[in-house]
């Protein structure tokens, strides 16, 4: 995690923690404080080659811990995702970085949807469009 990202994440946690008491009375009901979610990579309308893979880098911050993060990649008009997985970090500050194997998908426009849910079921969603090509 680079210094800029770490400082921004720490500032977000401090701001979120200062806003409300954590788990008032042990309640796990939604409290309206959604996780802060940033898709660092891919960028909007980024072009990638299917053989090169899709680098996914996100930062998620929440005062109640990020319970899980769902990742879904699907074609613009497709009902079924071509890639779908979940990670369960259970931490306040999450820096997730991976490269997805997309070598078997057809060229075209795809949407990467990232959804972070905290311990109180508050949800934050980000979507990024990616253009997959066969050549570099």
């Amino acid at each position: 995690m680079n210094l800029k990202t770490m400082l921004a994440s720490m500032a977000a946690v401090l701001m979120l923690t200062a806003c409300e008491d954590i788990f008032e009375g042990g309640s796990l009901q939604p409290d309206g404080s959604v996780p802060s979610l940033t898709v660092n990579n891919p960028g909007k309308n980024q072009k990638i080659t299917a053989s090169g893979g899709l680098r996914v880098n996100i930062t998620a911050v929440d005062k109640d811990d990020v319970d899980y993060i769902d990742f879904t990649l699907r074609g613009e008009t497709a009902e079924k995702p071509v890639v779908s997985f979940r990670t369960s970090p259970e931490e306040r500050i999450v820096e997730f970085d991976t490269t997805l194997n997309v070598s078997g998908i057809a060229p075209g426009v795809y949407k990467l949807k990232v959804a972070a849910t905290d311990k109180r079921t508050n949800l934050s969603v980000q979507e990024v469009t990616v253009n997959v090509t066969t050549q570099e």
Side-chain angles (χ1 to χ4, degrees):
M1 181 183 303
N2 66 35
L3 181 60
K4 184 178 175 182
T5 302
M6 187 169 62
L7 290 174
S9 298
M10 289 173 57
V13 167
L14 290 174
M15 288 181 354
L16 290 170
T17 305
C19 293
E20 296 180 34
D21 292 328
I22 298 174
F23 293 109
E24 297 166 22
S27 171
L28 293 178
Q29 295 299 313
D31 63 356
S33 175
V34 299
S36 170
L37 177 61
T38 305
V39 177
N40 305 309
N41 198 69
K44 184 178 179 184
N45 294 317
Q46 181 173 329
K47 290 184 181 182
I48 64 161
T49 61
S51 62
L54 173 60
R55 180 171 175 243
V56 176
N57 179 283
I58 64 102
T59 304
V61 179
D62 192 80
K63 68 181 183 72
D64 297 321
D65 284 353
V66 177
D67 196 20
Y68 54 89
I69 305 170
D70 291 308
F71 297 84
T72 307
L73 180 68
R74 72 179 68 216
E76 275 195 317
T77 59
E79 289 185 30
K80 285 187 163 187
V82 292
V83 176
S84 182
F85 67 97
R86 173 180 279 185
T87 184
S88 300
E90 298 186 17
E91 297 175 356
R92 288 184 180 184
I93 302 171
V94 179
E95 182 76 25
F96 185 82
D97 192 5
T98 192
T99 300
L100 303 179
N101 180 357
V102 293
S103 60
I105 69 172
V109 178
Y110 291 81
K111 291 208 183 262
L112 174 68
K113 179 180 174 182
V114 182
T117 305
D118 69 10
K119 293 280 186 189
R120 293 188 182 209
T121 67
N122 296 298
L123 175 67
S124 182
V125 178
Q126 296 288 323
E127 244 183 27
V128 179
T129 300
V130 179
N131 296 299
V132 178
T133 64
T134 55
Q135 300 176 353
E136 292 187 38

